[in-house]
Amino acid sequence: MLVLARLAEVLTMNLFVLILVIFILDGRSLTMASKERIVSKMGEKEMTLDTVRDSLIRQEDTIIFSLIERAKFPMNSPTYQEPKSCVGFCGSLIRFFVNETESLQAKAGRYQNPEENAFFPDHLPPSLVPPYAFPPVLHRAGASINVNNKIWDIYFKQLLPLFIISGDDGNYASTASSDLNCLQAISRRIHYGKFVAEVKYKDAPHDYEPAIRAKDRDALMKLLTFKAVEETVKKRVEKKAMIFGEEVTTNTTCTESNEGNHKIDPPLVSRLYDEWIMPLTKFVQVEYLLRRLD
Ligand SMILES: C=C(O[C@@H]1C=C(C(=O)O)C=C[C@H]1O)C(=O)O
């Protein structure tokens, strides 16, 4: 009797262990299966020239809104001046602000996304958040191209004076914060040239390879340029600046309310795209393609 009871106990125990093992294995295979589904889902959303162009169109909204926000403030030049001595931090307020914000955003994982490039990439702290498996679209050699030095210089020396009125209202921290929003939006757009170039290369490798091997920048520039697309971009951003920068009132129609009164000058936005944003995006495309066969 005792033996039978002991046997039953052992069998029950074994059965329990067996069920537990099945449960764990099944759970693991389920997790793996769902992970595979996510990965294959991302794979399905393959990048095409149309999808990258759609992204550039959406990014126009971010850029224009950020410029409108910066235009709320006058120049506020103390934001950019190098103080004679260190005041808790060394250098201009804008450098301090960008450095510190990038540091925090790096910890929060911003620069794990291959679409993001820091202005001060040296000595950034590592991300503290679990990594996300961004689809590996870019070719390794070109992925690290960073033209933010150029963007920084152009933004402060050429762009700001064009669309910001002179004056000082003391809002230096808010000014620095809105500058950073502009810089990040413009930088993301310009570096998106890497994705544009990758898609163009994949669509026609035989067209690009001879120019890449010959390191012929002019030929590459010709191959990747679509003048008609650029003209459309210029017209569209001007129209967006007109619509987004309108003063909205409830007692007049949109067209009545705003003749010539926009938060940012619409033709100027078109000019920013024509003279800086599109040429730099194309510069990034050429640089990326030159490394595409490395
Ligand atoms: C980005 C592209 O490549 C080039 C750059 C463009 C831009 O920066 O908007 C537009 C057309 C092309 O000349 C593209 O083809 O869409």
Side-chain angles (χ1 to χ4, degrees):
M1 205 56 189
L2 202 66
V3 174
L4 274 179
R6 183 78 191 115
L7 196 64
E9 195 184 316
V10 170
L11 279 176
T12 318
M13 193 59 193
N14 281 347
L15 194 65
F16 175 73
V17 171
L18 189 68
I19 290 171
L20 196 68
V21 168
I22 290 171
F23 182 76
I24 290 170
L25 285 178
D26 196 39
R28 275 177 53 182
S29 67
L30 258 183
T31 327
M32 276 161 68
S34 52
K35 267 188 194 150
E36 267 160 25
R37 266 202 301 279
I38 293 166
V39 171
S40 71
K41 257 231 157 86
M42 289 192 315
E44 277 165 27
K45 280 206 286 167
E46 211 195 313
M47 268 196 182
T48 64
L49 195 49
D50 282 343
T51 64
V52 294
R53 282 183 174 156
D54 284 348
S55 171
L56 292 178
I57 291 172
R58 181 61 183 85
Q59 290 180 50
E60 290 165 2
D61 304 1
T62 316
I63 292 176
I64 295 167
F65 277 118
S66 68
L67 294 174
I68 288 174
E69 281 307 284
R70 176 60 185 87
K72 249 181 359 192
F73 303 107
M75 186 55 87
N76 284 336
S77 44
T79 314
Y80 314 111
Q81 284 157 5
E82 300 283 333
K84 291 191 182 65
S85 56
C86 296
V87 284
F89 57 90
C90 297
S92 63
L93 179 66
I94 186 67
R95 275 182 191 276
F96 170 67
F97 192 94
V98 173
N99 240 317
E100 294 285 316
T101 311
E102 285 193 336
S103 197
L104 170 68
Q105 294 190 345
K107 286 189 216 163
R110 183 179 185 113
Y111 302 106
Q112 294 194 347
N113 183 337
E115 292 175 24
E116 299 289 351
N117 296 272
F119 282 85
F120 300 108
D122 301 331
H123 316 299
L124 276 182
S127 169
L128 302 178
V129 300
Y132 176 83
F134 288 100
V137 175
L138 297 179
H139 185 65
R140 204 179 22 82
S144 60
I145 291 168
N146 185 331
V147 298
N148 275 337
N149 278 343
K150 277 186 202 290
I151 296 174
W152 182 277
D153 272 358
I154 290 172
Y155 177 79
F156 289 111
K157 292 189 184 141
Q158 300 184 49
L159 305 196
L160 266 192
L162 284 177
F163 74 98
I164 299 302
I165 55 164
S166 57
D168 185 338
D169 68 2
N171 285 305
Y172 310 134
S174 304
T175 299
S177 170
S178 53
D179 279 329
L180 179 55
N181 287 337
C182 292
L183 285 167
Q184 285 181 329
I186 293 172
S187 167
R188 181 186 259 252
R189 198 283 180 196
I190 287 170
H191 289 99
Y192 211 73
K194 297 179 208 174
F195 293 87
V196 183
E198 176 62 25
V199 166
K200 285 181 180 172
Y201 172 80
K202 283 258 175 67
D203 281 350
H206 301 304
D207 292 346
Y208 283 95
E209 274 165 19
I212 296 172
R213 289 189 205 287
K215 300 193 190 330
D216 187 342
R217 288 170 183 273
D218 293 342
L220 288 172
M221 190 59 97
K222 242 189 215 146
L223 280 169
L224 60 83
T225 296
F226 292 84
K227 274 285 161 219
V229 177
E230 293 182 20
E231 287 308 313
T232 309
V233 171
K234 284 194 282 172
K235 280 195 199 128
R236 189 178 49 241
V237 293
E238 180 163 344
K239 190 167 178 189
K240 283 185 179 180
M242 206 175 290
I243 294 169
F244 299 166
E246 226 165 30
E247 205 59 63
V248 178
T249 59
T250 53
N251 52 6
T252 46
T253 65
C254 284
T255 34
E256 277 176 303
S257 63
N258 263 300
E259 295 294 300
N261 183 22
H262 298 102
K263 295 180 183 116
I264 182 164
D265 182 32
L268 181 58
V269 176
S270 178
R271 187 176 153 203
L272 299 187
Y273 265 78
D274 188 28
E275 289 183 23
W276 294 286
I277 296 181
M278 292 198 290
L280 279 173
T281 308
K282 292 202 286 182
F283 175 77
V284 167
Q285 290 188 59
V286 171
E287 290 301 309
Y288 180 87
L289 287 166
L290 286 171
R291 295 161 174 74
R292 186 58 183 77
L293 300 177
D294 291 358

